[in-house]
Amino acid sequence: MSSGPTVGDADGAAAPVSPSRLPLGPSVGGPRGPAPARVWYAREALAVARDLLGAYLTTRSAEGDVTLRITEVEAYEGAEDPASHAFRGRTARNATMFAEPGRLYVYRHLGLHHCVNVVTRPSGEPAAVLLRAGEVVAGAELARERRLRAGVVDSDRQLARGPARLAVALGLDLAANGADITEPEGAIVLHRHEAAVAAPHIATGARVGVGGPGADVSRFPWRLWLADERTVSAYRPGYRPPASGSSPHRGTTSA
């Protein structure tokens, strides 16, 4: 893991293209809004998480472009959130969480797959939003090819259903750690639709795979998703120690 923001090199990222190349997804029905400025991300993670639902993330590479609509997220704060990577302070792994907002924090989970997060709050205040799932609205053929290289995909619904699949579909790995998503002509850009998602269509609950105090849904109902959306991932609880208490309490964390 990098000790600070880094962006993909010539082996992993392609030159940016004009925003006019952004395709219109079938669920949009009109022009997408602009890429939010950095100040838009300089807010509490939970507020940004809510506003990311229904937004679009586009990756551009030599292989082509892929755009997905974000359908599920999880918020992670810093010292006040026991499930956060930044709960115990800054490390080489989580350094990007302390960087300026509007960048990606990408890490490898359990050495198996990558997770993509959006950094929030002002610089020095670590917080991030994990992108858990999305609907691929453009570039589905390329997303499917990437997923097939990594394993099995049985339907378009599964292309980006879960954080590992989302990262693969978008072609993102550790080379994207620290990438700026506020530049309209960047290789990775987030853009929003003009109309915000109505609050009644957003559901909340416990974060997936989180154990320990961070799993307390009464304090941290910080998983948010678009209700009745088929691409939202399945919930699973975090690790629970034996009843004897002889083993140290451990929990899986996401950001």
Side-chain angles (χ1 to χ4, degrees):
M1 176 63 64
S2 166
S3 60
T6 58
V7 182
D9 57 19
D11 293 329
V17 297
S18 167
S20 62
R21 284 187 57 192
L22 289 179
L24 293 178
S27 60
V28 178
R32 294 178 184 147
R38 195 172 311 285
V39 67
W40 185 85
Y41 297 94
R43 299 178 287 147
E44 293 182 354
L46 190 60
V48 176
R50 179 174 291 273
D51 291 342
L52 283 174
L53 289 173
Y56 298 85
L57 189 63
T58 294
T59 57
R60 298 151 170 160
S61 71
E63 290 184 305
D65 301 352
V66 173
T67 296
L68 61 75
R69 180 177 64 107
I70 299 169
T71 60
E72 181 187 4
V73 296
E74 287 178 349
Y76 289 86
E77 289 287 356
E80 65 190 67
D81 182 358
S84 172
H85 283 179
F87 181 58
R88 292 181 174 84
R90 180 169 179 155
T91 66
R93 183 196 197 200
N94 68 21
T96 305
M97 289 184 70
F98 292 78
E100 60 186 354
R103 292 188 178 273
L104 292 185
Y105 168 44
V106 183
Y107 65 89
R108 194 167 178 84
H109 180 58
L110 300 178
L112 299 175
H113 58 259
H114 296 94
C115 292
V116 179
N117 304 262
V118 174
V119 177
T120 71
R121 286 191 176 271
S123 300
E125 300 179 22
V129 177
L130 172 67
L131 305 183
R132 279 206 56 86
E135 173 199 11
V136 176
V137 298
E141 182 176 349
L142 174 56
R144 191 179 303 106
E145 289 176 3
R146 288 170 172 166
R147 285 288 321 285
L148 287 172
R149 290 177 213 156
V152 177
V153 56
D154 58 13
S155 68
D156 284 354
R157 175 195 180 196
Q158 303 288 354
L159 288 177
R161 186 172 181 247
R165 294 169 177 173
L166 181 148
V168 171
L170 289 173
L172 297 177
D173 55 23
L174 292 181
N177 184 44
D180 189 348
I181 61 173
T182 68
E183 296 294 334
E185 297 185 22
I188 310 170
V189 59
L190 185 131
H191 40 110
R192 300 179 69 221
H193 192 267
E194 298 289 354
V197 178
H201 300 299
I202 295 177
T204 64
R207 292 174 292 194
V208 175
V210 170
D216 184 351
V217 70
S218 66
R219 293 180 57 200
F220 303 105
W222 288 0
R223 175 186 174 223
L224 299 85
W225 64 94
L226 297 179
D228 302 320
E229 169 56 53
R230 296 176 65 252
T231 60
V232 171
S233 63
Y235 173 76
R236 61 177 175 79
Y239 172 85
R240 295 183 181 276
S244 65
S246 59
S247 298
H249 191 85
R250 297 180 297 168
T252 58
T253 63
S254 293

